[in-house]
Structure formats: C-alpha cells, structure tokens
Amino acid sequence: MDLNTVLEVRDARQRAPWRSGDAWLGGGTYLFSEPQPHLRRLLDLSRMGWEPLRRQPDGSLEIAATCTIAQLSRFARAQQAIPAAPLFEQCCRAFLASFKIWNMATVGGNLCNGLPAGPMISLTAALDGSVLLQAQDGTRRRTRVADFITGAGRKDLADGELLRSVTLPARALVSRTAFRQASLYGLGRSGALAIGTLDPLDGSLAVTLTAATVRPFRFWFPAPPGAAELRDTIERTLDDGDWFDDIHGLPAWRRHMALRLSEEIRRELAGEARR
C-alpha cells in the first residue's frame, strides 16, 4: 500500500519535536497494509541498534520493540533450557503469516496495534510482562502488558510516546505452559486464545484470555482451581462488552470457546501439579 500522504521518512535517531501526523515505523507490516490518510511523517526505528533479546542479570528477558517475529522464533528454538520457550514458538505460529511478514513484523508493533488477536500480546500478557514506555521528554514509565492494552485497538500510549521494550520476569520463564487456540477457519485469525502458566516455585496457576476478549484478561490463582471456580471467576469478571465481536466470531461463540479452552488448560496443568 502506497502511503501517498507521507511527505518525509526520518531516522528516529535524529531527535525532532513530535507533531501531528507523525508515526513510529517499526517493521511497517501494519502501516503499509491499509491507507493512513492522517500520516505525514514516519520516524524509522530500524537503525536504533537495539539488541533484539537480552537476558538480564536477574534472569528476566528484555525484548526490544524492534525484535522481529523471526528473531523471537529463532531465540525460542535455541532455548531448550527455558521451560516456557515452547510458548514463544506457539505464539509466533499464531500469526499465520508468511516468512516475509515474520522477517519484518515486530513485537512492539504487534503490541501497539492492540488488536485482540495479536499473538505477541497473548504471549507477553500470559508471562506477566511489562512494557517500558518513553515520552518525548525522555521520561520513562513501566506498566503491565495486561494494563497497557485497554480495548480493541486501544492502548495506554500518550501522543508521541514510544514503546521501547517488553520485559518478561525470570519467574515466568521457568513456568510450565499450556496453549490453546481456536479459529472459525483452518488458517484464520484467532477467535479465542488461552494460555496457562503453572509456577513451579509456589504452585500458582494463571490463565490468560485473548482474541476472544477486547483486551487481555489474566486470572491468577494461588493453587490450581476446580472447574467451577475457574468458570465462575471468568464469568464474574467479564461482562457482555468484554467479548469481542467481528467477522471472525460472534461474542457468544468466543465466550463458549474461551471457557472450553480454559478448562482444557486447567486440566492439563492441574494434572501436572499433582505429579
């Protein structure tokens, strides 16, 4: 898609005042996928030189906003010692995208689009990730991924603010995980996606719902709950407006699948907790 209203593409390393019509350019797979008549200038992040993935001294994992899906996938396949590593590849595969998209689309871009079916949102919310945001004046703030996405296509991002990275805590990386995805079509966009994480240190269980809901919902239990407790917790927390509605699935179907997939995850991980 030609963006014929864009008059300038600027290297983001060259600091310039933010103005109306600006947008950060990561991989561009969304920006160039449809008309953007409001845009006048793109600030290109591709030369920022951020290390795609970096293990921190405390064992956490920092993922740069410019890390591509291909880089994340390669990292996950090489990290057999990290129990949660298979979940990275499962979420990468949830893109159902070509290798061209994989090599351009970025983790930060997927988060900032805020789409319910964004698989990087699913991954980082499920692993209790937090995003680092930088304002135009250089000040930084951090917020949980589950709070950063506030609705379908909506996020807690101020005008001109930049998503610098997302950090996954060390404790989440050693969790046992379970993944379930449903779509109306064999190669369709996710209509419901559920991820479970079982903490081997304290036995707590978290179930995260995305795609079926307008934003991520992460349910944490100090011990694996029973089927009734899990279902009641989900239904008490979510109201009718929390279930997403578009061509890829009606809210009633999404609710049904989310509850079904959550129960499958509970059974899988609760069984492992008893072993």
Side-chain angles (χ1 to χ4, degrees):
M1 175 66 66
D2 291 333
L3 302 182
N4 57 15
T5 61
V6 172
L7 304 175
E8 181 184 4
V9 178
R10 190 182 186 94
D11 189 332
R13 294 174 300 177
Q14 303 170 3
R15 299 297 298 272
W18 186 267
R19 62 195 189 200
S20 178
D22 282 356
W24 299 109
L25 172 62
T29 55
Y30 166 71
L31 282 179
F32 289 94
S33 69
E34 59 184 45
Q36 310 284 349
H38 61 290
L39 295 185
R40 299 295 180 268
R41 183 173 66 167
L42 301 179
L43 305 179
D44 185 7
L45 297 168
S46 64
R47 299 180 183 178
M48 296 300 286
W50 296 333
E51 186 176 353
L53 298 115
R54 181 173 58 184
R55 292 298 297 271
Q56 304 284 36
D58 63 358
S60 62
L61 176 66
E62 182 184 53
I63 307 172
T66 50
C67 175
T68 66
I69 306 309
Q71 289 170 327
L72 185 64
S73 174
R74 287 194 294 269
F75 170 84
R77 292 197 300 269
Q79 300 296 319
Q80 296 183 1
I82 298 179
L87 181 63
F88 286 60
E89 184 68 11
Q90 289 169 318
C91 289
C92 287
R93 295 289 170 185
F95 264 101
L96 301 175
S98 71
F99 73 93
K100 293 183 288 186
I101 298 296
W102 270 43
N103 281 280
M104 293 301 296
T106 63
V107 173
N110 194 247
L111 283 161
C112 288
N113 278 343
L115 300 179
M120 295 299 99
I121 297 173
S122 306
L123 171 68
T124 55
L127 294 180
D128 200 22
S130 62
V131 292
L132 179 62
L133 307 173
Q134 181 172 309
Q136 285 291 296
D137 63 4
T139 58
R140 294 185 171 189
R141 65 185 178 99
R142 189 175 291 279
T143 186
R144 295 175 64 241
V145 172
D147 298 322
F148 175 66
I149 308 299
T150 59
R154 303 200 310 268
K155 56 273 181 185
D156 177 18
L157 195 65
D159 198 30
E161 202 168 26
L162 171 67
L163 192 156
R164 169 62 181 84
S165 63
V166 56
T167 299
L168 307 178
R171 192 158 186 164
L173 298 176
V174 300
S175 296
R176 301 297 177 184
T177 64
F179 175 94
R180 296 289 191 281
Q181 179 192 23
S183 172
L184 287 175
Y185 315 99
L187 293 176
R189 180 179 294 181
S190 299
L193 197 153
I195 295 173
T197 57
L198 179 69
D199 190 322
L201 301 179
D202 63 9
S204 62
L205 176 72
V207 175
T208 303
L209 298 180
T210 54
T213 54
V214 296
R215 63 178 181 86
F217 285 88
R218 188 173 188 268
F219 303 93
W220 181 87
F221 302 89
E229 181 183 357
L230 175 61
R231 184 184 183 95
D232 289 347
T233 300
I234 293 173
E235 296 207 291
R236 283 199 313 269
T237 304
L238 277 66
D239 58 35
D240 291 345
D242 292 321
W243 300 105
F244 192 45
D245 182 8
D246 74 350
I247 194 173
H248 299 284
L250 294 174
W253 174 79
R254 292 178 189 268
R255 172 184 171 278
H256 170 78
M257 292 308 302
L259 291 170
R260 175 177 174 176
L261 300 182
S262 296
E263 172 57 16
E264 290 180 6
I265 282 173
R266 186 199 67 82
R267 289 183 182 179
E268 178 179 334
L269 293 180
E272 180 154 345
R274 288 193 290 269
R275 287 200 289 271

